[in-house]
């Protein structure tokens, strides 16, 4: 284990930091928010040109052959700038699910287009009853002559705006288990309701009303999709957690600066011990969160799927809760100004609140951890 | 001390319920109440209460109020919240009213009390300034005497509902040469006076409550001074010490608990209601235990406040900290209970319906607005950090 960045990793981090500081200022982001789309297509093209979309994709499919550590470096820097484009949702969650489940032919056809940013896919797995967890799935994919007919709903698909296709989790009656199918976004019978989220990003609720797809839409084997879905989700969660670590860093920096300049009672408010201790606690939460992210990376690299999922769930709840607390305190230490839409700390809090609820809420992941521990103790 | 049930209180509750059921029209019920209701509703609601003889529910009889006991007031607020009536203008009922009753001249009362009862004069509070938040006494807005007027110059900030207010009660500096607290005066200003500009500030709940309020050579009759020149700080302490039980916002806390239970019964997980999930039930249990304790604490503090007992100040600060933290945790718990639906930015309850309803809109709309706005509860009315300082000082002379 080594906690130091290699020189390539440092370069990657620097290039993202420069990009976010220059091109993604709070003002630039606010303008994008006002434009009301899920980020900008130009930015996505730029991410592709800089190699960020392909960093962790295999070389044989046009990627750079990096690892999840590269993804984490990218996500963390994007998180510092509250970047709106759906990097986590499309370039990690959906892309890694495709890698984990697609056939060679499917990957050879699709992954190069993900890598160069010309094609965007989103993962449609969550339903009203699953609350962001992979199970249960009720959407039906009924076999018809040379393909499937899909009926059902997906509740909150991230990165769906601008996606050309969805990876959809479904039940195929004759094949117990979960199956994944790739469905073009413009198929007849598919309706998408676009929903704004608190952090300025967008999701879609999908309604499949007898949507027909060909047999080649099936990713991998019928009924065998769950483990790949879990792997994709684990990757997505790690990227989301990395974003929050970046968000916490930025919140703490901005707050520390403010405590030095804001004067009350004739002194900088940073001279009040109550606030010094709060800042120390926020720093401690951040470092614990960072270490929890490292634990997740360790598990992703080394553990079997069950242990991996338990660790990733633990990180999800610990890091999301830390982020809500740190960013909430960021508002508190700013006083009234922290409550305003024109100031940045409130937006970090909003992102933390949203992240806490996506890909399974902290509460759901806590329950999953508890269940895994109980199973272990019983055995 | 005894905990005998009070039969007359239950009779009172029935009376309030009867009024709400029979005399309040449907379009004044079922409202979201975290923020101040729209003007037209406040006015209608105020008139209805006045007709019923309840126009000033929180004031003593000698000032035209109902003279209700603390438990009666809590019952009234609770029932109104449950029915979802509009809010009253809290600034005048809870803050300015007691000040007028204690410090105003007969002429000032004759000018300002009748409009309270017809609901046609809404107020806002002009205390905070860009440089004077927690350190309120350092405020710089100046009022200089010119004949029988003051000329006011300066800037206030975070003036809630200034854009929809007819009058403002203002802290101004009338004397630069004395200790900063001693130079402050309490002035009532008609918002239509030339020279006042109100600029909106949007808050993170994506709504407009807050404003900057600018005063540029605003001429205010000297007759609008409350108490004497330099009395402003004492009046402010009187006002702020009276508001702890109010800031706790018990009726809202109880509403949050009702809503949390509703979410738990409505959403389904694994073919069962959410409340069957141990994680949800345990969280509910912890919040419920705290709510019960806060409810008792509110009554203790409110009674001490009614008796003008100085012990209410420290206990009030304790209540303020813990109740506002509970507001935050309960609204967060609601959002968490909604799981991924909690991430959706539903339209504000006062906004028009979206063309196609959002999923779970009936259950979830308004919750996030409350949750984001509740981040301010630990900031306004004296921040939690400042309150903790007061507690340590008052209780332990630290
Ligand atoms: C939603 C909302 C509505 C409001 N409505 C009104 C209104 O209608 N009218 C009005 O006049 N004002 C209103 N306010 C203003 C409110 O009273 C102030 O925000 C509050 O007094 C804090 O002042 P500040 O914002 O300048 O923060 P600051 O005083 O600058 O505080 C910043 C941070 O420093 C901390 N701090 C300050 N002093 C100390 C100390 N001595 N020890 C330890 N920590 C300290 C604070 O706790 C806080 O964490 C409102 C505010 C909000 C957010």
């Amino acid at each position: 284990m080594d906690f130091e960045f290699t020189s390539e990793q440092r370069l990657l981090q620097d290039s993202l930091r420069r990009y976010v500081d220059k091109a993604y200022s709070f003002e630039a982001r606010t303008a994008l928010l006002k434009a009301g789309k899920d980020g900008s297509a130009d930015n996505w093209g730029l991410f592709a040109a800089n190699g960020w979309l392909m960093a962790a994709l295999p070389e044989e499919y046009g990627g750079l052959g990096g690892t999840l550590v590269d993804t984490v470096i990218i996500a963390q820097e994007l998180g510092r700038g509250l970047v709106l484009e759906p990097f986590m949702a499309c370039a990690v969650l959906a892309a890694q699910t495709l890698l984990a489940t697609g056939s060679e032919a499917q990957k050879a056809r699709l992954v190069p287009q993900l890598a160069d940013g010309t094609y965007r896919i989103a993962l449609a797995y969550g339903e009203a009853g699953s609350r962001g967890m992979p199970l249960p799935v009720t959407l039906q994919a009924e076999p018809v002559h040379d393909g499937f007919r899909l009926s059902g709903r997906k509740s909150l698909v991230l990165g769906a705006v601008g996606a050309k296709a969805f990876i959809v989790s479904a039940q195929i009656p004759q094949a117990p288990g979960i199956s994944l199918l790739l469905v073009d976004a413009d198929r007849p019978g598919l309706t998408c309701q676009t929903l704004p989220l608190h952090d300025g990003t967008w999701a879609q609720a999908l309604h499949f009303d007898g949507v027909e797809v060909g047999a080649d839409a099936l990713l991998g084997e019928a009924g065998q999709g769950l483990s790949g879905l879990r792997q994709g989700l684990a990757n997505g969660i790690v990227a989301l957690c990395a974003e929050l670590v970046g968000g916490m860093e930025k919140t703490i920096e901005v707050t520390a600066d403010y405590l030095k300049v804001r004067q009350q009672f004739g002194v900088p408010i940073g001279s009040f011990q109550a606030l010094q201790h709060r800042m120390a606690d926020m720093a401690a939460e951040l470092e614990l969160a960072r270490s929890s992210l490292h634990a997740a990376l360790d598990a992703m690299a080394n553990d079997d799927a069950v242990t991996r999922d338990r660790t990733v769930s633990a990180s999800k709840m610990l890091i999301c809760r830390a982020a809500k607390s740190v960013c909430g305190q960021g508002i508190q230490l700013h006083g009234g100004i922290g409550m305003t839409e024109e100031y940045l700390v409130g937006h970090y809090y909003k992102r933390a609140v949203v992240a806490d609820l996506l890909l399974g809420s902290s509460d759901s992941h806590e329950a999953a951890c508890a269940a895994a521990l109980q199973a272990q103790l019983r055995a | 001390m005894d905990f005998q049930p009070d039969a007359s209180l239950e009779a009172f509750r029935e009376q309030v319920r009867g009024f709400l059921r029979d005399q309040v029209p449907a379009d004044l019920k079922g409202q979201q109440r975290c923020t101040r209701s729209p003007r037209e509703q406040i006015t209608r609601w105020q008139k209805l209460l006045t007709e019923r003889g309840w126009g000033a529910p929180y004031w003593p009889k000698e000032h035209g109020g109902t003279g209700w006991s603390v438990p009666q007031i809590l019952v009234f607020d609770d029932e109104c919240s449950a029915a979802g009536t509009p809010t009253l203008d809290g600034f005048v009922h809870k803050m300015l009213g007691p000040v007028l009753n204690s410090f105003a001249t007969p002429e000032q009362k004759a000018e300002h009390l009748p409009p309270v009862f017809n609901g046609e004069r809404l107020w806002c509070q002009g205390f905070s300034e860009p440089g004077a938040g927690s350190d309120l006494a350092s405020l710089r807005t100046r009022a200089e005497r010119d004949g029988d007027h003051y000329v006011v110059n300066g800037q206030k900030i975070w003036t809630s509902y200034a854009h929809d207010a007819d009058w403002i009660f203002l802290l101004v500096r009338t004397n630069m040469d004395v200790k900063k607290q001693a130079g402050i005066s309490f002035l009532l200003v008609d918002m239509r006076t030339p020279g006042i500009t109100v600029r909106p500030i949007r808050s993170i709940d994506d709504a407009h409550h807050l404003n900057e309020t600018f005063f540029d050579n605003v001429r205010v009759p000297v007759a609008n001074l409350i108490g004497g020149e330099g009395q402003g700080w004492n009046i402010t302490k009187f006002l702020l010490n009276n508001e702890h039980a109010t800031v706790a916002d018990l009726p809202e806390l109880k509403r949050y608990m009702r809503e949390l239970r509703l979410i738990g019964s409505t959403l389904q997980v694994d073919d069962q209601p959410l409340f069957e999930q141990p994680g949800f039930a345990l969280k509910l249990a912890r919040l419920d235990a705290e709510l019960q304790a806060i409810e008792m604490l509110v009554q203790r503090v409110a009674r001490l406040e009614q008796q003008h007992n100085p012990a209410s100040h420290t206990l009030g600060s304790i209540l303020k900290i813990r109740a506002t933290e509970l507001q935050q945790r309960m609204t967060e718990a609601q959002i968490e209970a909604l799981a991924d639906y909690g991430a959706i930015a539903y339209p504000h309850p006062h906004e028009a319906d979206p063309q196609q309803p959002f999923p779970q809109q009936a259950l979830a709309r308004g919750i996030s607005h409350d949750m984001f706005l509740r981040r301010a509860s630990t900031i306004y009315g004296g921040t939690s950090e400042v309150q903790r300082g007061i507690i340590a000082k008052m209780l332990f002379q630290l």
Side-chain angles (χ1 to χ4, degrees):
Chain A
M1 202 178 316
D2 185 356
F3 296 113
E4 294 299 312
F5 281 160
T6 63
S7 56
E8 290 87 48
Q9 290 168 337
R10 170 80 49 207
L11 280 175
L12 178 63
Q13 185 189 38
D14 287 347
S15 72
L16 273 132
R17 179 85 45 111
R18 269 198 310 277
Y19 166 74
V20 168
D21 286 347
K22 288 225 180 73
Y24 230 100
S25 65
F26 184 64
E27 293 68 33
R29 179 183 185 271
T30 305
L32 264 183
L33 273 183
K34 292 220 168 90
K37 303 234 172 59
D38 210 16
S40 98
D42 288 349
N43 287 347
W44 196 256
L46 204 105
F47 292 5
N50 288 340
W52 301 336
L53 303 181
M54 63 178 74
L57 299 177
E59 279 165 312
E60 66 259 47
Y61 307 124
L64 298 177
T67 67
L68 187 55
V69 173
D70 299 301
T71 302
V72 159
I73 291 171
I74 296 168
Q76 195 168 314
E77 295 305 315
L78 296 179
R80 287 177 62 93
L82 292 177
V83 166
L84 295 162
E85 285 74 13
F87 175 80
M88 183 283 289
C90 298
V92 185
L93 182 64
Q96 292 294 329
T97 306
L98 179 67
L99 279 176
T101 53
S103 67
E104 280 308 313
Q106 286 164 329
K107 289 193 275 198
R109 181 167 66 86
L110 295 168
V111 178
Q113 303 179 65
L114 302 184
D116 68 16
T118 50
Y119 191 71
R120 205 145 100 184
I121 56 172
L123 179 64
Y125 75 100
E127 301 185 2
S130 68
R131 296 163 70 85
M133 301 300 270
L135 295 175
V137 173
T138 63
L139 188 138
Q140 294 291 314
E142 185 197 339
V144 289
H145 39 83
D146 52 357
F148 302 92
R149 184 188 290 125
L150 279 64
S151 304
R153 290 175 189 275
K154 293 292 170 184
S155 49
L156 207 68
V157 182
L158 303 173
V161 176
K164 298 227 176 83
F166 302 113
I167 299 178
V168 182
S169 62
Q171 297 264 8
I172 295 175
Q174 288 74 11
I178 304 304
S179 305
L180 298 178
L181 298 109
L182 190 72
V183 181
D184 286 340
D186 58 5
R187 294 303 295 172
L190 173 57
T191 44
C192 309
Q193 182 181 17
T194 301
L195 300 166
L197 307 186
H198 303 303
D199 59 356
T201 65
W202 298 78
Q204 281 183 341
L206 306 189
H207 182 201
F208 296 81
D209 185 12
V211 175
E212 300 210 353
V213 292
D216 60 351
L218 187 66
L219 296 174
E221 302 284 307
Q224 301 298 309
L226 185 59
S227 72
L229 175 59
R230 284 194 192 281
Q231 195 174 325
L233 275 169
N235 276 276
I237 289 171
V238 170
L240 186 65
C241 288
E243 266 188 55
L244 292 181
V245 167
M248 279 187 266
E249 284 176 359
K250 184 75 180 186
T251 300
I252 289 174
E253 289 167 17
V254 166
T255 308
D257 288 345
Y258 188 73
L259 296 194
K260 288 178 194 140
V261 298
R262 171 66 171 169
Q263 303 241 344
Q264 287 286 274
F265 304 98
V267 292
I269 57 174
S271 64
F272 299 126
Q273 202 167 37
L275 305 195
Q276 294 169 356
H277 287 189
R278 191 77 50 83
M279 288 299 293
D281 283 336
M282 287 158 69
E285 291 230 46
L286 165 63
E287 290 313 323
L288 223 59
R290 199 191 305 280
S291 291
S292 178
L293 179 62
H294 293 161
L297 282 169
D298 185 21
M300 292 289 286
N302 302 311
D303 288 335
D304 62 82
V306 171
T307 314
R308 174 201 73 196
D309 283 348
R310 197 185 93 211
T311 305
V312 168
S313 282
S315 297
K316 172 77 169 61
M317 78 172 168
L318 187 144
I319 295 170
C320 288
R321 285 176 180 164
K324 278 211 288 188
S325 151
V326 166
C327 299
Q329 288 311 309
I331 296 176
Q332 181 69 22
L333 295 193
H334 278 81
I337 188 85
M339 283 297 297
T340 62
E341 195 70 19
E342 295 99 282
Y343 193 70
L344 75 176
V345 282
H347 294 268
Y348 285 85
Y349 177 68
K350 288 190 185 192
R351 177 63 185 154
V353 165
V354 168
D356 182 56
L357 301 167
L358 299 180
L359 309 187
S361 71
S362 290
D363 287 349
S364 301
H365 283 285
E366 185 176 47
C369 284
L373 287 168
Q374 283 170 322
Q376 215 178 49
L377 288 166
R378 275 185 212 114
Chain B
M1 187 186 293
D2 77 59
F3 294 91
Q4 298 295 326
D6 181 351
S8 70
L9 199 59
E10 282 318 297
F12 176 74
R13 188 183 290 278
E14 278 316 307
Q15 212 185 345
V16 175
R17 280 191 184 158
F19 165 73
L20 290 167
R21 187 182 56 233
D22 302 331
Q23 273 153 281
V24 182
D27 67 331
L28 287 188
K29 289 186 266 197
Q31 314 270 331
Q32 283 270 352
R33 309 174 85 237
C34 170
T35 54
R36 182 150 100 168
S37 300
R39 164 184 287 266
E40 167 264 342
Q41 291 190 2
I42 298 178
T43 306
R44 283 173 64 206
W45 172 232
Q46 177 68 59
K47 283 188 200 298
L48 266 180
L49 286 175
T50 300
E51 271 169 38
R52 178 64 181 80
W54 294 347
Y58 313 112
W59 300 355
K61 271 217 164 73
E62 63 264 33
H63 299 302
T66 55
W68 284 337
S69 67
V70 168
Q72 282 179 311
I73 287 174
L74 290 173
V75 163
F76 175 76
D77 280 347
D78 200 22
E79 291 299 327
C80 290
S81 158
T85 65
T87 60
L88 287 170
D89 173 2
F91 284 128
V92 75
H93 280 280
K94 303 274 179 78
M95 294 180 162
L96 180 64
V99 166
L100 292 177
N101 291 334
S102 301
F103 298 94
T105 62
E107 293 74 34
Q108 290 170 332
K109 287 182 189 170
E111 164 67 32
H112 291 293
L113 292 182
V116 175
F117 289 87
N118 68 27
E120 286 173 5
R121 182 175 293 175
L122 301 189
W123 287 84
C124 64
Q125 177 196 18
F127 284 14
S128 307
E129 297 181 5
S134 298
D135 183 14
L136 183 58
S138 68
L139 61 92
R140 302 223 305 253
T141 297
R142 290 175 68 166
E144 282 163 310
R145 190 72 186 257
D146 178 23
D148 51 8
H149 281 79
Y150 287 108
V151 180
V152 179
N153 279 290
Q155 183 195 349
K156 296 291 173 181
I157 194 169
W158 318 125
T159 339
S160 303
Y161 309 113
H163 56 291
D164 197 20
D166 306 296
W167 281 72
I168 184 168
F169 51 98
L170 204 59
L171 291 183
V172 291
R173 187 161 297 288
T174 42
N175 189 341
M176 312 291 284
D177 304 324
V178 291
K179 198 172 150 246
K180 52 184 184 173
Q181 284 82 357
I184 295 173
S185 301
F186 195 102
L187 209 52
L188 309 183
V189 181
D190 187 332
M191 288 294 281
R192 287 166 311 187
T193 321
I196 301 181
T197 314
V198 176
R199 251 194 242 150
I201 302 176
R202 272 193 101 71
S203 40
I204 57 169
D205 58 334
D206 199 21
H208 172 203
H209 324 281
L210 298 172
N211 302 280
E212 294 178 287
T213 311
F214 298 88
F215 297 85
D216 179 18
N217 287 321
V218 175
R219 294 184 68 82
V220 182
V222 170
N224 291 6
L225 178 73
I226 302 292
E229 266 194 21
Q231 281 303 303
W233 192 249
N234 282 337
I235 296 174
T236 303
K237 280 201 293 191
F238 168 89
L239 178 155
L240 294 178
N241 278 330
N242 269 325
E243 72 163 351
H244 292 310
T246 302
V247 197
D249 227 339
L250 181 62
E252 287 301 284
L253 283 171
K254 292 172 100 174
R255 173 166 73 89
Y256 296 151
M257 182 50 78
R258 286 195 299 274
E259 289 173 353
L260 203 47
R261 294 167 68 115
L262 180 66
I263 296 169
S265 312
T266 308
L267 294 180
Q268 297 282 314
V269 185
D270 294 339
D271 293 328
Q272 283 184 321
L274 174 62
F275 67 70
E276 294 291 355
Q277 299 283 313
F280 176 81
L282 290 172
K283 202 190 277 185
L284 195 67
R286 286 193 291 266
L287 293 170
D288 190 52
E290 260 185 84
L291 178 56
Q292 284 180 30
I294 290 286
E295 195 170 349
M296 282 292 173
L297 186 54
V298 166
Q299 305 203 43
R300 277 166 71 197
V301 170
R303 236 175 270 198
L304 292 171
E305 281 177 354
Q306 225 175 30
Q307 297 157 3
H308 299 290
N309 183 331
S312 73
H313 304 171
T314 324
L315 206 56
S317 289
I318 289 172
L319 171 62
K320 204 268 169 178
I321 293 175
R322 296 303 299 258
T324 51
E325 287 175 0
L326 189 58
Q327 290 163 6
Q328 294 178 344
R329 277 188 294 124
M330 285 182 83
T331 47
E332 276 185 20
Q334 291 186 338
I335 285 287
E336 287 159 6
L338 291 170
D340 38 9
Y341 295 122
I344 300 174
Y346 294 92
H348 196 279
H350 295 321
E351 273 172 30
D353 290 339
Q355 264 183 353
Q356 184 185 359
F358 288 5
Q360 291 296 352
Q361 176 174 304
L363 189 66
R365 189 172 182 179
I367 288 178
S368 67
H369 298 94
D370 276 13
M371 183 195 66
F372 288 121
L373 194 57
R374 282 300 179 196
R375 296 316 303 182
S377 302
T378 49
I379 295 171
Y380 57 61
T383 70
S384 296
E385 290 75 22
V386 169
Q387 303 287 358
R388 285 190 170 90
I390 292 172
I391 294 166
K393 196 160 156 196
M394 303 280 278
L395 281 184
F396 312 113
Q397 293 76 49
L398 292 172

